[in-house]
């Protein structure tokens, strides 16, 4: 089993940057994929970025060029750096992992971008 806890959310002005962090505990050796998702009010949860165990990263088209996902295996963490934030990036951001035990979600961290 894997447990995930996100941090780093908060209030930021449009045009600013924010780095979210997700720390994993439990059977972290079994994680093969990390991902960041977001859910805005009244909308479905959507994928932002994925980091695969082979080093390949994928990004949603709407954030490509502004978001970087990275991992620190030594610290069992994955990060999401997002630049040039816009008010419509306001959402709860969730960390997700896929392991041999299945998929796990963190509880999310709120990001609010003011205009």
């Amino acid at each position: 089993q894997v447990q995930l806890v996100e941090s780093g959310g908060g209030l930021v002005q449009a045009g600013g940057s924010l780095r979210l962090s997700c720390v994993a505990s439990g059977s972290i050796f079994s994680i093969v994929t990390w991902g960041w998702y977001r859910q805005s009010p009244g909308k479905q949860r959507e994928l932002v970025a994925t980091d695969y165990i082979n080093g390949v990263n994928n990004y949603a088209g709407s954030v490509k060029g502004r978001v970087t996902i990275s991992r620190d295996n030594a610290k069992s963490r994955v990060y999401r750096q997002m630049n040039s934030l816009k008010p419509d990036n306001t959402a709860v951001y969730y960390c997700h992992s896929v392991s041999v035990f299945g998929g796990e979600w963190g509880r999310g961290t709120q990001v609010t971008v003011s205009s």
Side-chain angles (χ1 to χ4, degrees), residues 33-37 46-71 78-81:
T33 302
W34 294 87
W36 284 101
Y37 288 72
E46 62 178 353
L47 176 67
V48 176
T50 307
D51 177 87
Y52 296 98
I53 195 171
N54 61 2
V56 173
N57 295 334
N58 285 331
Y59 299 94
S62 61
V63 302
K64 195 170 290 186
R66 297 191 295 124
V67 168
T68 302
I69 185 172
S70 60
R71 71 165 77 185
V78 66
Y79 303 98
R80 190 221 66 163
Q81 175 73 35

Side-chain angles (χ1 to χ4, degrees), residues 5 31 59 61 99 102 106:
V5 178
I31 295 176
Y59 299 94
S99 72

